[in-house]
């Protein structure tokens, strides 16, 4: 069986070499195809951080084991880590945070065991990176949450929770504020939950979730979140179990899976051979289990757990009165501990059952579309305009453009209504949302919207627009604060 390997930047090559040394010593029948990805590939002129040959190899092999990669600072270059996850639709990012015996934390000292799996949506949200300056003062980020994308990751989370014999699955969200986007994610969560009556499914607002995780992490089992919130919550969970050096992750898709540590390239310690390879090793163990080498995975994991229990540590954790070992020494000690069993959480030696690799030859991009809503029609438009005038003047000018089709419903600034009612204490920026709705309630068409756009553009620069859709009586858009 062959997998693609990219060593990465910073500490990537050091920890990857250490992990592959452990795999080789464990005689896992895996071949590695080393591919060109990372900062140095950007530097060679490949704007997405990987060569076309690397892309082809990964698409043919279906599995990428990667070290952390640096995103060059400055405009115009996107993170190759995010590009990889998005390009290959690895929609679920599974991150496992477990108490490791020998890694002292406030919770281990208090005798509170932690076993939390965070499933983070991996494609959508603000990670679309679709951002624009609307005026010289106002930046906009578009946040996509889709029904099919949410269903993919939530279904994965429930299925994984069932296999793990989890008791509880929790949706973290901010649907009290982002009622439409996080509201959609939450609706999908409870829709899928109906198919898993044996699991206790509940939801917690993300700020409360952070508080609860840092006070009683043992109450949680599987947590599923949207992309950005999942990113933040999973670093919080890494802190609970001893730091980023212990946080593995798997990016799961239907065709391609990527295994990597949660942490980055650690430029502050790169090139010193002192980094902790545990997170990458645990990610690699998850990968070899994924391809069916169960016994090899258990032998390696038991040796790692035994090593940690015996007090061996790299410089980022452990008993500071005992000297730290370096990355290579840490790997060598793990190898010397093959066959040993940790006192706590020993893994059973299940037989190897290698999975036959599936070669996917796709002829077109898969299209994810759910059932259309009935009675969908356009009822208005939000015109985002640039202006440094006062709300009364904006409204006065806008009303002149409504014609026979539109009425101006309200004017808002940074999401707060400032006309027809508002407060003089609301600070303004030079970008307003002017909301127009159908004058007599009848459905509008795109030509009507363009007519309004042309008319309004006589008075204002229109930065962007959003159609106001309605499904039957249900409005598919949010109200302004105070509307
Ligand atoms: P980072 O995770 O690289 O480092 C944060 C802190 O944790 C540093 O003090 C570092 O020394 C320490 N640390 C991280 N991994 C460690 C390990 N294995 N052993 C011991 N200490 C470790 O985060 P930072 O500094 O924000 O990002 C550095 C670069 O990494 C950036 O270019 C970022 O874009 C990239 N990055 C890449 C990721 C990936 O490839 N999946 C994920 C996160 C960041």
């Amino acid at each position: 069986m062959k997998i693609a390997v990219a060593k990465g930047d910073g500490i990537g090559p050091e920890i990857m070499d250490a992990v592959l040394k452990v795999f080789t010593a464990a005689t896992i029948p895996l071949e590695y195809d080393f591919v060109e990805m990372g900062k140095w590939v950007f530097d060679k002129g490949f704007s997405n951080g990987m060569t076309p040959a690397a892309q082809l190899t990964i698409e043919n092999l279906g599995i990428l084991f990667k070290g952390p990669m640096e995103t060059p600072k400055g405009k115009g270059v996107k993170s190759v880590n995010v590009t990889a996850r998005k390009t290959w639709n690895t929609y679920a990012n599974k991150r496992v945070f477990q108490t490791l015996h020998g890694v002292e934390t406030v919770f281990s000292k208090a005798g509170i065991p932690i076993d939390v799996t965070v499933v983070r949506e991996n494609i959508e949200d603000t990670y679309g990176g679709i951002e624009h300056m609307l005026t010289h003062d106002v930046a906009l980020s578009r946040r996509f949450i889709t029904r099919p994308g949410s269903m993919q990751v939530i279904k994965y989370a429930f299925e994984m929770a069932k296999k793990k014999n989890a008791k509880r699955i929790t949706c973290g969200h901010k649907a009290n504020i982002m009622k439409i986007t996080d509201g959609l994610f939450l609706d999908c969560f409870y829709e899928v939950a109906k198919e898993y009556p044996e699991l206790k499914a509940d939801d917690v607002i993300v700020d409360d979730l952070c508080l609860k995780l840092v006070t009683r992490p043992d109450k949680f089992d599987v947590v599923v979140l949207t992309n950005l919130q999942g990113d933040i919550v999973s670093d919080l969970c890494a802190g609970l179990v001893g730091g980023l050096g212990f946080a593995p992750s798997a990016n799961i898709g239907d065709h391609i899976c990527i295994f990597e540590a949660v942490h980055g390239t650690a430029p502050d310690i790169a090139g010193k051979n002192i980094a902790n390879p545990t997170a990458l090793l645990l990610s690699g163990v998850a990968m070899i289990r994924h391809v069916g080498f169960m016994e090899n995975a258990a032998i390696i994991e038991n040796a790692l757990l035994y090593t940690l229990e015996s007090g061996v540590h790299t410089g980022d954790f452990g008993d500071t009165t005992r000297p730290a070992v370096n990355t290579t020494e840490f790997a060598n000690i793990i190898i010397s501990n093959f066959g040993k069993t940790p006192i706590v959480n020993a893994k059973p030696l299940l037989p190897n059952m290698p999975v036959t690799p599936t070669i996917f030859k796709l002829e077109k991009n898969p299209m994810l579309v759910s059932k259309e809503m009935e009675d969908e029609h356009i009822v208005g438009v939000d015109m985002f305009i640039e202006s440094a005038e006062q709300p009364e003047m904006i409204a006065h000018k806008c009303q002149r453009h409504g014609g026979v089709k539109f009425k101006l419903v309200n004017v808002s600034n940074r999401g707060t209504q400032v006309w027809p009612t508002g407060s003089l204490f609301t600070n303004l920026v030079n970008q307003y949302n002017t909301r127009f709705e159908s004058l007599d309630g009848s459905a509008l068409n795109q030509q009507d919207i363009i007519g309004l756009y042309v008319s309004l553009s006589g008075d204002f620069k229109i930065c962007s627009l959003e159609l106001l859709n309605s499904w039957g009586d249900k409005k598919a858009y949010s109200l302004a604060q105070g509307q």
Side-chain angles (χ1 to χ4, degrees), residues 11 66-71 81 85 244-245 260-269 275-276 316:
I11 58 169
K66 70 177 275 295
M69 292 173 190
E70 183 182 330
T71 305
N81 306 303
R85 294 172 201 157
L244 282 171
E260 61 180 337
V262 169
H263 63 72
T265 58
D268 49 337
I269 56 167
N276 180 356
D316 54 311

Side-chain angles (χ1 to χ4, degrees), residues 261-293:
V262 169
H263 63 72
T265 58
D268 49 337
I269 56 167
K272 297 180 182 163
N273 195 30
I274 59 170
N276 180 356
T278 304
L280 188 66
L281 182 60
L282 286 172
S283 311
V285 165
M287 177 187 69
I288 56 179
R289 280 211 175 89
H290 181 82
V291 292
F293 296 115

Side-chain angles (χ1 to χ4, degrees), residues 107 112 114 168 170 172-174 204-220 223 225 229 232-233 236-237 240:
F107 294 102
I112 298 175
I114 299 174
R168 179 183 182 192
T170 305
H173 64 88
K174 196 73 185 171
V204 182
I205 291 173
V206 69
D207 36 340
D208 188 24
L209 178 66
C210 291
L211 173 73
K212 289 191 161 93
L213 279 167
V214 295
T215 44
R216 288 306 301 265
D218 53 321
K219 299 278 179 206
F220 292 91
V223 183
L225 304 111
Q229 293 168 28
I232 297 165
V233 167
L236 180 149
C237 290
L240 302 178

